[in-house]
Amino acid sequence: MLVVLGAACAGVLVEAFVPRKARFLSQVVLSLASLATAFGGVVYVATQLTSRGDGKAFGTVAAEGSVAVDGPAVFAWGLILLIAIFGVMLFAERRLEGGVSAFAGQAAALPGTSDERRVSERGLEHTEVYPLLLFAVGGMLLFAAASDLLTLFVGLEVLSLPLYLLCGLARRRRLLSQEAALKYFLLGAFSSGFLLYGIALVYGYAGTVTYAGISEAIANTPGDRGLLLLGIGLLAVGLFFKVGAAPFQAWTPDVYQGAPTPVTAFMAAATKVAAFVALLRLFDVAFGAERWSWLPVFWVVALLTMVLGAVLAIAQTDVKRMLAYSSIAHTGFLVTGILGTGAVVTGDQITTTTAVLFYLVTYGFVTLGAFAVLTLVRDDAGEVSTLAGWAGLGQRSPLVAGVFALFLLSLAGLPLTAGFTGKWVVFAAAMTADAWPVVVTAVLTSALAAFFYIRVIVVMYFAQPRGEGPTVAVPGFLTTATIAVAVAATVALGVVPGPVLDLAAHAGEFIR
Amino acid sequence: MGALSFLLLLPLVGAVVTAVLPGGPGAVLPKWSALAFSLATLVFGVVLAANYDNGGGTQFTEDHTWIKAFGAHFALGVDGLGLVMVLLTVVLVPVVIGASWNDADGANTGRQGVFFALILAVEGLALAVFCAQDVFLFYAVFEATLIPAYFLIGSFGSGERRGSAAVKFLLYMLAGGLVMLASVIGLYALSARSGDASYLISDLAELDISTNTGRWLFLGFFLAFAVKAPLFPFHTWLPDTTAAATPGTSVLLICVLDKIGTYGMIRFCLELFPEASRWATPVVVVLALISIVYGALLALGQDNVLKLIGLTSLSHFGFIVLGIFVMNAQGLSGSIFYMLNHGLATAVMFVAAGYLIHRSGTPLLSRMGGVEKKAPVIAGLFLLGGLGTLGLPGLSPFVSEFLVLVGAFEHHPWTGAVAVTGIVLAAAYVLVAYQRAMTGPPRPELAGVGDAVPREVIAIAPLVAVMLVLGFVPQPALDVINPSTDRTLEVVQP
């Protein structure tokens, strides 16, 4: 984590001192190298974890109780770093638009002004995006491992602020992009407010901000819990906003649509990992003893999120928006997985933590791949994301359409793809906790959700293109590699999920 | 690698090979490759059947751990029921390929390789379904069959509505499948609670499932199979799909894939949830009877010959489900045999109708007429399939229909009485259709129509032969079926 943040700072220095021509290359190399080093570090840390207590959880609480280095945290770190590496690769793709990246030349130049024309003529670009991404990644790492409420809050802000900026930097459709960034920022600031207020209330109740301390306080203080419950509620609001769970999902479609597609890919995959691990840790470790008062809320949130995501996705005519709503539905499935926390687990049964971690892996790679494909399909005005514009893609470029169809089928949860095994584990986790009404609803919404994934396939394969139809840009090496890895992961996790599943199971429980 | 893995890998490898061979309009290489792989599968299937021991229970078993955390195994094996379905599949696929020889040429995609590869993919996955001895494996391949089937309907069907028909098909199937998924996960929860999770059918049969839970799980499985089979009122995807798909695809769908529904009812509903099956019997029997009569009545008024055959299948699937749920030896044996025979007779009808449509350019009976004079062989084949469908003695469907009816009468006289009307109506719809399309003076549009060419006759001949042989000597088939029937009944009878 320090490596990433350090590299981010180094990136700022590079931005300041390295001549403009060399900046792009040095930034990309620096980012990739630091992420890879950090990944190596995570693997090393993973082998050094020591078992604690009953043997189910291992790791230590570092930095005076503010950061927990345990199985799930290390697992999440590895995943976030992997996604970030591919995120950088997508960011660095310059071949698609004739040698420039997907980001605006100079964000301050107003769209359509002479300023902007001058900037693009000079071929300027924001190489700041790489340090920004690194800062976001650093925030995510902190967020996923936060073991006290203040660290949680710091992590959240460090991850969010760069994302707000990145969202507004699209080269094409600047206004939409800037609007998305503004919306994200305003709503994000609201949610931070909720979170902060929640932290204050919980501190007021427990007199401490560490998770272990809160858990102890809950166990030792019978009686009036009004303050605690209110605090939990507000914290939940803040975190549900971050993961995009209903009824706090409203920002998702606009931001996903408006942000530059590489940013969307990175954000959709990585933020979800960090936020869900943080959510799970907070509610399991700190509020675990109070489970029976917050689980019903999660039931409702899971139901609402799935149904809302699936129903609204049907009405979408834009592929990016459709994927955004689909991500809301998937958030619902993940929350369904959390419902398993109350279950009595025997033997080597699937636990909630295993299920959610594994689902995050499957979802992360599929999402990354799907958005990467989105960057390829374009016409004169840039990326084509309207559904009608995709008509006939299956005949023009069978390979790209086939790959996208694979991702869609995986999102729909067809067997032998990653999406199916992922869905299976979260549903199984919920089922062991007897949450079968939610599982049945989840299954029905999956059927509903299948409709809009299939509609895209229908458009790609069975519809005749209107006029010219979309063309597929030939991607550079970096994008190709990203897509190839995503495809391989989708198939491998569908057919032989065993190793990753074992890894997720091996990550064990959260330490307390 | 076990014999059964080899059997199902053969067509799957064939699918890959066929798909990568150079396609393009007019290419013949993919066709021959597909035919060769399907024939090899046929030969291997027949060799397996020859080595099958009638008294031996589940055979050719193999078992590899697949996903340990789920308790999923890659476990294969066949008993009498499975073997019959495997044989039906391996026999029908070469026929489909032969009969569809030119179907993909006209498709606008110009990729016949893909068409034939999809057929082989369906074959391999269907074989896996019938051999699976593990619920998770069964579920995974069961759902996976949908993808090639979906593209077969959507990419290569005929008519404007093929896209929407494909979507309707897939949504019905997915909805059914996902309901089953809830039950499959429920089984996991139960199995994990009682110790180590395992999805092997043999392990699940040992589970002690409470009455209420059993009924819920049963419902999940049953609904999925009822959509698949199809059973009234879950059948509405059927006419649209058959009308939109090529006749060859329809053969695969109705004669092979839909059998997974009735196969699953026996294998999972009866064997895993005997109590719940008995509990559901009255309702299921009524639904089956409605299917029989309703399907036949709809067929009687149908002008599109492909839809007509689809609807007759609704009626026949009613018979099969009825035979399964009356739960006596005659009914169940009859049903399993019926699954085989219905596949043969319906395939003959579909293929003959396909030849006809190919020539006349219309699927509407009212636009045909007098085909008998122009193309006597095709008309004859259609009649033969039709007579098989209506249960003419001497053709194999008769035997199975007879057994099912005996079983139905044993269950309750009224059940048998209603079911018999299905036979009467069958005679009506087959003969009326034949009369409208084939007899009388040839219509002027048919002037240029020629009779079946040798390739078409050769493609269909094996089916006719098997139908005749099993019609006169059904005993070998029944010898395979009966032991597994007895085993199932032991489980399910109180």
Side-chain angles (χ1 to χ4, degrees), chain A residues 109-181:
Chain A
L110 290 176
T113 58
S114 56
D115 260 359
E116 199 197 20
R117 212 171 310 124
R118 186 177 52 80
V119 168
S120 55
E121 271 164 13
R122 287 182 54 197
L124 298 189
E125 65 178 304
H126 269 294
T127 41
E128 290 94 325
V129 292
Y130 302 101
L132 283 175
L133 176 126
L134 290 182
F135 276 120
V137 170
M140 286 171 187
L141 299 181
L142 188 63
F143 197 45
S147 186
D148 74 32
L149 293 172
L150 290 180
T151 319
L152 183 80
F153 184 71
V154 172
L156 178 75
E157 290 303 312
V158 175
L159 92 85
S160 301
L161 290 172
L163 285 181
Y164 300 149
L165 285 176
L166 286 171
C167 283
L169 291 180
R171 176 178 292 276
R172 311 271 189 178
R173 297 203 279 182
R174 292 290 310 285
L175 286 177
L176 199 64
S177 173
Q178 287 173 351
E179 187 192 321

Coordinates of all heavy atoms in Angstrom, one line a residue, chain A residues 109-181:
Chain A
A109 N -10.0 23.4 -20.2 CA -10.5 24.0 -21.4 C -12.0 23.7 -21.6 O -12.4 22.5 -21.5 CB -9.7 23.5 -22.6
L110 N -12.8 24.7 -21.8 CA -14.2 24.4 -22.0 C -14.5 23.7 -23.3 O -13.8 23.9 -24.3 CB -15.0 25.7 -22.0 CG -15.1 26.4 -20.6 CD1 -15.8 27.7 -20.7 CD2 -15.7 25.5 -19.6
P111 N -15.5 22.8 -23.3 CA -15.8 22.0 -24.5 C -16.1 23.0 -25.7 O -16.9 23.9 -25.4 CB -16.9 21.2 -24.2 CG -16.9 21.1 -22.7 CD -16.3 22.4 -22.2
G112 N -15.6 22.8 -26.8 CA -16.0 23.6 -28.0 C -15.3 24.9 -28.1 O -15.6 25.7 -29.0
T113 N -14.5 25.3 -27.2 CA -13.8 26.6 -27.3 C -12.5 26.5 -28.0 O -12.0 25.4 -28.3 CB -13.5 27.1 -25.9 OG1 -12.7 26.2 -25.2 CG2 -14.7 27.3 -25.0
S114 N -12.0 27.7 -28.3 CA -10.7 27.7 -29.1 C -9.6 27.1 -28.2 O -8.7 26.5 -28.7 CB -10.4 29.1 -29.5 OG -10.3 29.9 -28.3
D115 N -9.7 27.3 -26.9 CA -8.8 26.8 -26.0 C -8.6 25.3 -26.2 O -7.5 24.7 -26.3 CB -9.3 27.0 -24.5 CG -8.6 28.1 -23.9 OD1 -7.8 28.8 -24.5 OD2 -9.0 28.4 -22.7
E116 N -9.8 24.6 -26.3 CA -9.7 23.2 -26.4 C -9.1 22.8 -27.7 O -8.3 21.8 -27.8 CB -11.1 22.6 -26.3 CG -11.1 21.1 -25.9 CD -12.4 20.4 -26.2 OE1 -13.2 20.9 -27.0 OE2 -12.6 19.3 -25.6
R117 N -9.5 23.5 -28.8 CA -8.9 23.1 -30.1 C -7.4 23.2 -30.0 O -6.7 22.4 -30.5 CB -9.5 24.0 -31.1 CG -9.6 23.3 -32.5 CD -10.4 24.2 -33.5 NE -11.7 24.7 -32.9 CZ -12.0 26.0 -32.9 NH1 -11.2 26.9 -33.3 NH2 -13.2 26.3 -32.4
R118 N -6.9 24.3 -29.4 CA -5.5 24.5 -29.3 C -4.8 23.4 -28.6 O -3.8 22.8 -29.0 CB -5.2 25.8 -28.6 CG -3.8 26.3 -28.6 CD -3.7 27.6 -27.9 NE -4.3 27.6 -26.5 CZ -3.8 27.1 -25.4 NH1 -2.6 26.6 -25.5 NH2 -4.4 27.2 -24.3
V119 N -5.5 23.0 -27.5 CA -4.9 21.9 -26.7 C -4.8 20.6 -27.5 O -3.8 19.9 -27.5 CB -5.8 21.6 -25.4 CG1 -5.4 20.3 -24.7 CG2 -5.6 22.8 -24.5
S120 N -5.9 20.3 -28.2 CA -5.8 19.0 -28.9 C -4.9 19.1 -30.1 O -4.3 18.1 -30.5 CB -7.2 18.6 -29.4 OG -7.8 19.6 -30.1
E121 N -4.7 20.3 -30.7 CA -3.8 20.4 -31.8 C -2.4 20.2 -31.3 O -1.5 19.6 -31.9 CB -3.9 21.8 -32.4 CG -4.9 21.9 -33.5 CD -5.2 23.3 -33.8 OE1 -4.5 24.2 -33.4 OE2 -6.2 23.5 -34.6
R122 N -2.1 20.6 -30.1 CA -0.7 20.5 -29.6 C -0.5 19.0 -29.0 O 0.5 18.7 -28.6 CB -0.5 21.5 -28.5 CG -0.2 22.9 -29.0 CD 0.1 23.9 -27.9 NE 1.2 23.4 -27.1 CZ 1.5 23.9 -25.9 NH1 0.7 24.9 -25.4 NH2 2.5 23.6 -25.3
G123 N -1.6 18.3 -29.0 CA -1.5 16.9 -28.5 C -1.2 16.8 -27.1 O -0.6 15.8 -26.6
L124 N -1.7 17.7 -26.3 CA -1.5 17.6 -24.9 C -2.4 16.5 -24.3 O -3.4 16.1 -24.8 CB -2.0 18.9 -24.2 CG -1.2 20.1 -24.6 CD1 -1.6 21.3 -23.7 CD2 0.3 19.9 -24.5
E125 N -2.0 15.9 -23.2 CA -2.9 15.0 -22.5 C -2.6 15.0 -21.0 O -1.5 15.5 -20.6 CB -2.8 13.6 -23.1 CG -1.5 12.9 -22.8 CD -1.5 11.6 -23.4 OE1 -2.4 10.8 -23.0 OE2 -0.7 11.2 -24.2
H126 N -3.6 14.6 -20.3 CA -3.5 14.5 -18.9 C -2.7 13.3 -18.4 O -3.4 12.3 -18.2 CB -4.9 14.6 -18.2 CG -5.4 15.9 -17.9 ND1 -4.8 16.7 -17.0 CD2 -6.4 16.6 -18.5 CE1 -5.4 17.9 -17.0 NE2 -6.4 17.8 -17.8
T127 N -1.5 13.4 -18.2 CA -0.8 12.2 -17.7 C -1.0 12.1 -16.2 O -0.7 11.1 -15.6 CB 0.7 12.2 -18.0 OG1 1.1 13.5 -17.8 CG2 1.0 11.8 -19.4
E128 N -1.7 13.1 -15.6 CA -2.0 13.1 -14.2 C -3.0 11.9 -13.9 O -3.1 11.5 -12.7 CB -2.7 14.4 -13.7 CG -1.9 15.6 -13.7 CD -1.9 16.4 -15.0 OE1 -2.1 15.7 -16.1 OE2 -1.9 17.6 -14.9
V129 N -3.6 11.4 -14.9 CA -4.6 10.3 -14.6 C -3.9 9.1 -13.9 O -4.5 8.4 -13.1 CB -5.3 9.8 -15.8 CG1 -6.2 10.9 -16.4 CG2 -4.4 9.3 -16.9
Y130 N -2.6 8.9 -14.2 CA -2.0 7.7 -13.6 C -1.7 7.9 -12.1 O -2.1 7.0 -11.3 CB -0.7 7.4 -14.4 CG -1.0 7.1 -15.8 CD1 -0.7 8.1 -16.8 CD2 -1.6 5.9 -16.2 CE1 -1.1 7.9 -18.1 CE2 -1.9 5.7 -17.5 CZ -1.7 6.7 -18.5 OH -2.0 6.5 -19.8
P131 N -1.1 9.0 -11.7 CA -1.0 9.2 -10.3 C -2.4 9.3 -9.6 O -2.6 8.7 -8.5 CB -0.4 10.6 -10.1 CG 0.3 10.9 -11.4 CD -0.4 10.1 -12.4
L132 N -3.4 9.8 -10.3 CA -4.7 9.8 -9.7 C -5.2 8.4 -9.4 O -5.8 8.1 -8.4 CB -5.7 10.6 -10.6 CG -5.6 12.1 -10.6 CD1 -6.5 12.7 -11.7 CD2 -6.0 12.6 -9.2
L133 N -5.0 7.6 -10.5 CA -5.4 6.2 -10.3 C -4.7 5.5 -9.2 O -5.3 4.8 -8.4 CB -5.2 5.4 -11.6 CG -5.5 3.9 -11.5 CD1 -6.4 3.5 -12.7 CD2 -4.2 3.1 -11.6
L134 N -3.4 5.8 -9.0 CA -2.6 5.2 -8.0 C -3.1 5.7 -6.6 O -3.2 4.9 -5.7 CB -1.1 5.6 -8.1 CG -0.4 4.9 -9.3 CD1 1.0 5.3 -9.3 CD2 -0.6 3.4 -9.2
F135 N -3.5 7.0 -6.5 CA -4.1 7.4 -5.2 C -5.3 6.7 -4.9 O -5.6 6.3 -3.8 CB -4.3 8.9 -5.3 CG -3.1 9.8 -5.0 CD1 -2.6 10.7 -5.9 CD2 -2.5 9.6 -3.7 CE1 -1.5 11.4 -5.6 CE2 -1.4 10.4 -3.4 CZ -0.9 11.3 -4.4
A136 N -6.2 6.5 -6.0 CA -7.4 5.8 -5.7 C -7.2 4.4 -5.3 O -7.8 3.9 -4.3 CB -8.3 5.8 -7.0
V137 N -6.2 3.8 -5.9 CA -5.9 2.4 -5.5 C -5.4 2.4 -4.1 O -5.9 1.5 -3.3 CB -4.8 1.8 -6.5 CG1 -4.3 0.5 -5.9 CG2 -5.4 1.6 -7.8
G138 N -4.5 3.3 -3.7 CA -4.1 3.4 -2.4 C -5.2 3.5 -1.4 O -5.3 2.8 -0.4
G139 N -6.2 4.4 -1.7 CA -7.3 4.5 -0.9 C -8.1 3.3 -0.8 O -8.6 2.9 0.3
M140 N -8.3 2.6 -1.9 CA -9.0 1.3 -1.8 C -8.4 0.3 -0.9 O -9.0 -0.4 -0.2 CB -9.1 0.7 -3.2 CG -10.1 1.5 -4.1 SD -10.0 0.9 -5.8 CE -11.0 2.1 -6.6
L141 N -7.0 0.2 -1.0 CA -6.3 -0.8 -0.2 C -6.6 -0.4 1.3 O -6.8 -1.3 2.1 CB -4.8 -0.7 -0.5 CG -4.5 -1.1 -2.0 CD1 -2.9 -1.0 -2.1 CD2 -5.0 -2.4 -2.4
L142 N -6.5 0.8 1.6 CA -6.7 1.3 3.0 C -8.1 1.0 3.4 O -8.4 0.5 4.5 CB -6.4 2.8 3.1 CG -6.4 3.3 4.5 CD1 -5.2 2.7 5.3 CD2 -6.2 4.8 4.5
F143 N -9.0 1.3 2.5 CA -10.5 1.1 2.8 C -10.8 -0.4 3.1 O -11.5 -0.7 4.1 CB -11.2 1.5 1.5 CG -12.7 1.8 1.8 CD1 -13.1 2.5 2.9 CD2 -13.6 1.3 0.8 CE1 -14.5 2.8 3.0 CE2 -15.0 1.6 1.0 CZ -15.4 2.3 2.1
A144 N -10.2 -1.3 2.3 CA -10.5 -2.7 2.5 C -10.0 -3.2 3.8 O -10.4 -4.2 4.3 CB -10.0 -3.5 1.3
A145 N -8.9 -2.6 4.3 CA -8.3 -3.2 5.5 C -8.5 -2.4 6.7 O -8.1 -2.7 7.8 CB -6.7 -3.2 5.3
A146 N -9.3 -1.3 6.6 CA -9.5 -0.4 7.7 C -10.1 -1.2 8.9 O -11.0 -1.9 8.8 CB -10.5 0.7 7.3
S147 N -9.5 -0.9 10.0 CA -10.0 -1.6 11.2 C -10.4 -0.7 12.3 O -10.7 -1.0 13.4 CB -8.9 -2.6 11.8 OG -9.4 -3.3 12.8
D148 N -10.4 0.6 12.0 CA -11.2 1.5 12.9 C -11.9 2.5 12.0 O -11.7 2.7 10.8 CB -10.3 2.2 13.9 CG -9.4 3.2 13.3 OD1 -9.8 3.9 12.3 OD2 -8.3 3.4 13.8
L149 N -12.9 3.2 12.6 CA -13.8 4.0 11.8 C -13.1 5.2 11.1 O -13.5 5.5 10.0 CB -14.9 4.5 12.7 CG -15.8 3.3 13.2 CD1 -16.8 3.8 14.2 CD2 -16.6 2.7 12.0
L150 N -12.1 5.7 11.8 CA -11.4 6.9 11.2 C -10.6 6.5 9.9 O -10.7 7.2 8.9 CB -10.6 7.6 12.2 CG -11.3 8.3 13.3 CD1 -10.4 9.0 14.3 CD2 -12.3 9.3 12.7
T151 N -9.9 5.4 10.1 CA -9.2 4.9 8.9 C -10.2 4.6 7.7 O -9.9 4.8 6.6 CB -8.4 3.6 9.2 OG1 -7.9 3.7 10.5 CG2 -7.4 3.3 8.2
L152 N -11.3 4.0 8.1 CA -12.3 3.8 7.1 C -12.7 5.0 6.4 O -12.7 5.1 5.1 CB -13.6 3.2 7.8 CG -14.8 2.8 6.9 CD1 -14.5 1.4 6.3 CD2 -16.0 2.8 7.7
F153 N -12.9 6.1 7.1 CA -13.3 7.3 6.5 C -12.2 7.9 5.7 O -12.4 8.4 4.5 CB -13.7 8.3 7.6 CG -14.2 9.6 7.1 CD1 -15.4 9.7 6.5 CD2 -13.4 10.8 7.1 CE1 -15.9 10.9 5.9 CE2 -13.9 12.0 6.6 CZ -15.1 12.0 6.0
V154 N -10.9 7.9 6.2 CA -9.8 8.4 5.4 C -9.7 7.6 4.1 O -9.5 8.2 3.0 CB -8.5 8.3 6.2 CG1 -7.3 8.6 5.4 CG2 -8.6 9.2 7.4
G155 N -9.8 6.3 4.2 CA -9.7 5.4 3.0 C -10.7 5.8 2.0 O -10.5 5.9 0.8
L156 N -11.9 6.0 2.5 CA -13.0 6.3 1.6 C -12.7 7.6 0.8 O -12.9 7.7 -0.4 CB -14.3 6.5 2.4 CG -15.5 6.9 1.6 CD1 -16.0 5.7 0.8 CD2 -16.6 7.4 2.5
E157 N -12.3 8.6 1.6 CA -12.0 9.9 0.9 C -10.8 9.8 -0.1 O -10.9 10.3 -1.2 CB -11.7 11.0 1.9 CG -12.9 11.4 2.7 CD -14.1 11.8 1.9 OE1 -13.9 12.7 1.0 OE2 -15.2 11.3 2.1
V158 N -9.8 9.1 0.3 CA -8.6 9.0 -0.6 C -9.0 8.2 -1.8 O -8.5 8.5 -2.9 CB -7.5 8.2 0.1 CG1 -6.3 8.0 -0.8 CG2 -7.0 9.1 1.3
L159 N -9.9 7.3 -1.7 CA -10.3 6.6 -3.0 C -11.3 7.4 -3.8 O -11.3 7.3 -5.0 CB -10.8 5.2 -2.6 CG -12.3 4.9 -2.4 CD1 -13.0 4.6 -3.7 CD2 -12.5 3.6 -1.5
S160 N -12.1 8.1 -3.1 CA -13.2 8.8 -3.8 C -12.7 10.0 -4.6 O -13.1 10.2 -5.8 CB -14.3 9.2 -2.9 OG -14.8 8.1 -2.2
L161 N -11.9 10.9 -4.0 CA -11.6 12.1 -4.6 C -11.0 12.0 -6.0 O -11.4 12.6 -6.9 CB -10.7 13.0 -3.7 CG -11.5 13.5 -2.4 CD1 -10.6 14.1 -1.4 CD2 -12.6 14.5 -2.9
P162 N -9.9 11.1 -6.1 CA -9.4 10.9 -7.5 C -10.4 10.4 -8.5 O -10.4 10.8 -9.6 CB -8.3 9.9 -7.3 CG -8.0 9.9 -5.8 CD -9.3 10.3 -5.1
L163 N -11.4 9.6 -8.0 CA -12.4 9.0 -8.9 C -13.3 10.2 -9.4 O -13.7 10.2 -10.6 CB -13.2 7.9 -8.2 CG -12.5 6.6 -8.1 CD1 -13.4 5.6 -7.4 CD2 -12.0 6.1 -9.4
Y164 N -13.6 11.1 -8.5 CA -14.5 12.2 -8.9 C -13.8 12.9 -10.1 O -14.4 13.3 -11.1 CB -14.7 13.2 -7.8 CG -15.3 12.7 -6.5 CD1 -15.0 13.2 -5.3 CD2 -16.3 11.7 -6.6 CE1 -15.7 12.7 -4.2 CE2 -16.9 11.2 -5.5 CZ -16.6 11.7 -4.3 OH -17.2 11.2 -3.1
L165 N -12.5 13.1 -9.9 CA -11.7 13.8 -11.0 C -11.7 13.0 -12.3 O -12.0 13.5 -13.3 CB -10.3 14.1 -10.5 CG -10.2 15.2 -9.5 CD1 -8.7 15.3 -9.0 CD2 -10.6 16.6 -10.1
L166 N -11.3 11.8 -12.1 CA -11.2 10.9 -13.3 C -12.5 10.9 -14.1 O -12.4 10.8 -15.3 CB -10.8 9.5 -12.9 CG -9.3 9.4 -12.4 CD1 -9.1 8.0 -11.8 CD2 -8.4 9.6 -13.6
C167 N -13.6 10.9 -13.4 CA -14.9 10.8 -14.1 C -15.1 12.0 -15.1 O -15.8 11.8 -16.1 CB -16.0 10.8 -13.1 SG -16.2 9.2 -12.4
G168 N -14.5 13.1 -14.8 CA -14.8 14.3 -15.6 C -13.9 14.5 -16.7 O -13.9 15.5 -17.4
L169 N -13.0 13.5 -17.0 CA -11.9 13.8 -18.0 C -12.1 13.2 -19.3 O -11.1 13.0 -20.1 CB -10.6 13.3 -17.4 CG -10.1 14.1 -16.2 CD1 -8.8 13.5 -15.7 CD2 -9.9 15.5 -16.6
A170 N -13.3 12.8 -19.7 CA -13.5 12.2 -21.0 C -13.2 13.1 -22.1 O -13.5 14.3 -22.1 CB -15.0 11.7 -21.1
R171 N -12.5 12.6 -23.1 CA -12.2 13.4 -24.3 C -13.4 13.7 -25.1 O -13.7 14.8 -25.5 CB -11.2 12.7 -25.1 CG -10.8 13.4 -26.4 CD -9.8 12.7 -27.2 NE -8.5 12.7 -26.5 CZ -7.6 13.6 -26.7 NH1 -7.9 14.7 -27.4 NH2 -6.4 13.6 -26.0
R172 N -14.2 12.7 -25.3 CA -15.5 12.8 -26.1 C -16.6 13.1 -25.1 O -16.5 12.6 -23.9 CB -15.8 11.5 -26.8 CG -14.7 11.0 -27.6 CD -14.7 11.6 -29.0 NE -13.7 10.9 -29.9 CZ -13.6 11.2 -31.1 NH1 -14.4 12.1 -31.7 NH2 -12.7 10.5 -31.9
R173 N -17.6 13.8 -25.5 CA -18.7 14.1 -24.7 C -18.4 14.7 -23.4 O -18.7 14.1 -22.3 CB -19.5 12.8 -24.5 CG -20.1 12.2 -25.9 CD -21.2 11.4 -25.7 NE -20.8 10.0 -25.3 CZ -21.7 9.0 -25.1 NH1 -23.0 9.3 -25.2 NH2 -21.3 7.8 -24.8
R174 N -17.7 15.8 -23.4 CA -17.1 16.4 -22.2 C -18.2 16.8 -21.2 O -18.1 16.6 -20.0 CB -16.3 17.6 -22.6 CG -15.0 17.3 -23.3 CD -14.0 16.6 -22.4 NE -13.9 17.4 -21.2 CZ -13.2 18.5 -21.1 NH1 -12.6 19.0 -22.2 NH2 -13.1 19.2 -20.0
L175 N -19.3 17.3 -21.8 CA -20.3 17.9 -20.9 C -20.9 16.8 -20.0 O -21.1 16.9 -18.8 CB -21.4 18.6 -21.7 CG -21.0 19.9 -22.2 CD1 -22.1 20.5 -23.1 CD2 -20.6 20.9 -21.1
L176 N -21.2 15.6 -20.7 CA -21.8 14.5 -20.0 C -20.9 14.0 -18.9 O -21.2 13.7 -17.8 CB -22.0 13.4 -21.0 CG -23.0 12.3 -20.6 CD1 -24.4 12.9 -20.5 CD2 -23.0 11.2 -21.7
S177 N -19.6 14.0 -19.3 CA -18.6 13.5 -18.4 C -18.4 14.5 -17.2 O -18.4 14.0 -16.0 CB -17.2 13.5 -19.1 OG -16.2 13.2 -18.3
Q178 N -18.4 15.8 -17.4 CA -18.3 16.7 -16.3 C -19.5 16.7 -15.4 O -19.4 16.8 -14.2 CB -18.0 18.1 -16.9 CG -16.6 18.2 -17.4 CD -16.4 19.5 -18.1 OE1 -17.2 20.3 -18.4 NE2 -15.1 19.7 -18.5
E179 N -20.7 16.5 -16.1 CA -21.9 16.4 -15.3 C -21.8 15.2 -14.4 O -22.2 15.3 -13.2 CB -23.1 16.4 -16.2 CG -24.4 16.4 -15.5 CD -25.6 16.1 -16.4 OE1 -25.5 16.5 -17.6 OE2 -26.5 15.4 -16.0
A180 N -21.4 14.1 -14.9 CA -21.3 12.9 -14.2 C -20.3 13.1 -13.0 O -20.6 12.7 -11.8 CB -20.7 11.8 -15.0
A181 N -19.2 13.8 -13.2 CA -18.3 14.0 -12.2 C -18.9 14.9 -11.1 O -18.7 14.6 -9.9 CB -17.0 14.7 -12.7

